[in-house]
Amino acid sequence: MSTINPVAQRFESELAELATLVDSDRPGWTRRALSEFDIAGRDYALTLMKHAGLATRVDGAGNVIGVLPGRLGGREIMLGSHTDTVDGGGRFDGITGVLGAIEVVRLLRENDVRLDHDLVVVVFFNEEPNDFGFFCVGSRAMTGLVDRTTLTATDTDGRSLAEALPDSGIDPEAFLDARYDFSKVTAFLELHIEQGPELERMGKQIGVVETITGINHFKALFTGRQDHAGTTPMDVRADAGCAAAGTVLAVESIAESGTNTRGTSGQIQFTPEAVNVVSANASVEGEFRGPDGSWLQEAQRRLTDAASQNADKRGVHVEMEWTTDDAPVPLHEPITSTIAEVATDLGHTRATMFSGAGHDAGIIAAKTQVGMIFVPSRDGRSHCPEEFTELADILPGIEVLLQTVLRLDGV
Ligand code: HGY
Ligand code: MN
Ligand code: MN
Ligand code: MN
C-alpha cells in the first residue's frame, strides 16, 4: 500500500469538536474522568468509531471498544489511548492516539485493505489520576489489576469509587469483571504526543519508545497541633505544615540525585487554611518517576525517612502511604524495531526514547507485545493549556501507525 496522507481536515475538525467537550469553568481544556464532560468525550469517540465502520461496545469498566473484523479472525491488533485530561490540561494528550487510531480504520476501509487480524480500537476509561488515587483505571480493569480495594478507595469527601462509578454509567460489579482476553492480541500500539522537549530539541519527527517510566505515588498525612500564630513560641509548636513543606523539598532533592528521574509534590493541603493559625494537619501527595526500578525503591525509602525526620523534629505524627508502585516498562521487540523501520521507510526522521509520561500502553504491556509512537510537543509542554502539536507533525505519526499495523498484520 502506498503512503496515504490521512485526511487532515477530518482529524482537525474532530480535535476541535473534542476540545468543546470540556468543563468551561476550569482553565485550559479540562475533561476529567468521572465527569459529565468525560462521558461526552467518550460518547463522541464512540460515534466516530461507529461512523468509521467499527462494531462498538462499552465494556464493564467504561472502556469504549470498536472492532474491524479481519479476514482470518481469531487474532487481533489493538490500538488505543484516552480522552480524559488533567485539570487545566491540553487538547492533544491521549486524544491524538484515539483520533489517530480511528483514522487508521478509515484509511484501511477507504483503500479496501482487509487485514488478516481483527483491528481493535480502545478508548481507555480514566487514564489520568482521579480523585481516588488511581490512574490508568480502564486499562487496569482490562488487565485484571483492579479488585474490591480499588472500589473502596475514597476521595477527599469520603466518597468511594464504588459510589462514584455509577454516575459514569459503570456498574461496580461489572467494573471488576472487565478483564479482556489478551491471548488473541498480537500487539498493542499507542500513538501519543511526547509531552516533553526531546523530539523538538533533536529535530526528529517520530519517537520510538523503548521504556515507559516507573511511577511511585505517595500520600503523606501529617498531624500536629493547632495553635495561635502570634502567641505560640516557635520551640513549642507542632507545626504540621512545616513538616509537610520539608518533605516537599526532600522530594525535589531526592529526584535531583538520579538520571532521568523526576519528583513532584503536585498536591499539598494545610488544615485549617488560616494565616494566623499553626496548622494542625497537612497532606502531601506526589510521585517519583524514572527508568530504573531500584532507584525508585531507594527514593521511596529515602522519602519515607525524610518525612519521619521532618515530623519527629517538630513533634508531628506522619502516616506515609505509597498508593502506586508501577515499575518501569521496557517495550517489546520486534514491535519497536518495526516502528523504527516503518518510520525510516516512510522517510521520517526518528529517535528512540524514554517516556517520562505514564501511559495505558505501560499497563497493557503486561499482557501483550506493546509499541508506542511519539510525535513532538511544541516547547515540550503538556498537562497545560500551552500543550500543542502541529497537525503537520501528527500526520507522520498516523502514517507510521497505519504502516506498522500493516507490517505486523503481514507477520
Ligand atoms: O501522568 C502521566 O504521565 C500521563 O500523562 N497520564
Ligand atoms: Mn496525561
Ligand atoms: Mn496521555
Ligand atoms: Mn497514554
Side-chain angles (χ1 to χ4, degrees):
M1 213 167 98
S2 67
T3 309
I4 306 152
N5 265 314
V7 180
Q9 76 274 13
R10 264 187 322 212
F11 188 92
E12 201 156 43
S13 67
E14 288 157 15
L15 194 78
E17 175 60 24
L18 263 172
T20 65
L21 304 174
V22 293
D23 181 349
S24 52
D25 293 340
R26 301 297 305 151
W29 286 269
T30 299
R31 185 171 43 251
R32 292 208 61 210
L34 294 160
S35 71
E36 60 184 282
F37 312 102
D38 174 53
I39 295 169
R42 284 182 292 119
D43 280 351
Y44 177 63
L46 180 69
T47 305
L48 293 180
M49 286 158 88
K50 278 184 180 149
H51 290 169
L54 292 166
T56 56
R57 65 186 176 90
V58 180
D59 76 1
N63 299 300
V64 181
I65 299 174
V67 182
L68 182 70
R71 256 201 303 258
L72 304 182
R75 297 295 303 165
E76 296 174 351
I77 292 173
M78 183 183 278
L79 311 178
S81 199
H82 62 97
T83 52
D84 64 310
T85 74
V86 296
D87 185 37
R91 288 163 287 169
F92 298 85
D93 174 1
I95 293 130
T96 301
V98 167
L99 297 183
I102 296 169
E103 198 60 48
V104 163
V105 171
R106 292 186 190 120
L107 288 163
L108 289 170
R109 298 193 70 223
E110 285 166 1
N111 291 277
D112 296 324
V113 175
R114 188 90 189 271
L115 301 177
D116 288 344
H117 286 75
D118 292 353
L119 188 63
V120 179
V121 174
V122 182
V123 179
F124 294 104
F125 172 68
N126 192 175
E127 192 266 1
E128 299 291 358
N130 62 28
D131 293 339
F132 301 86
F134 291 105
F135 61 97
C136 290
V137 176
S139 47
R140 289 179 205 270
M142 286 178 79
T143 53
L145 291 178
V146 298
D147 57 27
R148 292 203 179 278
T149 52
T150 316
L151 291 175
T152 57
T154 56
D155 63 11
T156 46
D157 300 329
R159 194 171 183 232
S160 73
L161 183 59
E163 289 166 328
L165 285 173
D167 292 348
S168 284
I170 298 169
D171 166 46
E173 290 308 315
F175 173 75
L176 293 177
D177 194 24
R179 278 173 191 260
Y180 192 89
D181 176 8
F182 283 93
S183 64
K184 302 178 290 186
V185 180
T186 296
F188 171 74
L189 299 171
E190 183 169 4
L191 170 65
H192 204 286
I193 55 172
E194 177 200 339
Q195 300 182 284
E198 297 309 316
L199 283 174
E200 189 177 64
R201 187 179 59 76
M202 294 185 282
K204 302 289 186 186
Q205 293 170 289
I206 297 290
V208 184
V209 179
E210 284 191 318
T211 306
I212 296 176
T213 188
I215 304 182
N216 290 6
H217 275 180
F218 70 87
K219 190 184 267 186
L221 300 176
F222 298 87
T223 309
R225 196 187 66 209
Q226 187 160 330
D227 276 311
H228 191 297
T231 57
T232 313
M234 294 308 286
D235 61 354
V236 299
R237 295 179 177 208
D239 189 331
C242 287
T247 304
V248 167
L249 293 177
V251 170
E252 183 186 45
S253 59
I254 291 167
E256 285 168 341
S257 69
T259 309
N260 251 338
T261 52
R262 316 276 191 264
T264 313
S265 300
Q267 286 173 253
I268 186 163
Q269 181 89 34
F270 286 11
T271 312
E273 286 199 309
V275 67
N276 63 345
V277 177
V278 177
S279 47
N281 298 292
S283 68
V284 180
E285 288 196 54
E287 56 163 59
F288 283 120
R289 298 194 190 204
D292 175 350
S294 52
W295 181 86
L296 285 167
Q297 293 310 313
E298 175 61 10
Q300 193 166 317
R301 193 195 55 72
R302 288 175 61 190
L303 184 69
T304 303
D305 283 352
S308 301
Q309 286 159 23
N310 274 290
D312 295 350
K313 74 180 183 186
R314 296 177 175 87
V316 167
H317 174 72
V318 62
E319 281 168 52
M320 190 80 175
E321 186 193 0
W322 291 88
T323 51
T324 309
D325 192 351
D326 288 352
V329 181
L331 297 190
H332 301 105
E333 284 303 348
I335 312 300
T336 39
S337 48
T338 303
I339 294 170
E341 286 156 19
V342 163
T344 301
D345 293 352
L346 287 170
H348 299 316
T349 54
R350 62 175 168 86
T352 51
M353 305 189 72
F354 164 68
S355 173
H359 297 286
D360 292 306
I363 303 295
I364 303 295
K367 295 292 183 185
T368 186
Q369 299 184 104
V370 164
M372 281 202 82
I373 302 161
F374 274 176
V375 290
S377 291
R378 188 172 63 185
D379 302 331
R381 302 291 305 278
S382 181
H383 281 188
C384 59
E386 294 78 10
E387 179 182 282
F388 185 81
T389 298
E390 296 284 353
L391 186 61
D393 288 339
I394 291 174
L395 297 183
I398 298 176
E399 283 179 336
V400 170
L401 185 65
L402 169 65
Q403 295 296 333
T404 304
V405 166
L406 290 168
R407 212 157 292 187
L408 293 177
D409 182 61
V411 292

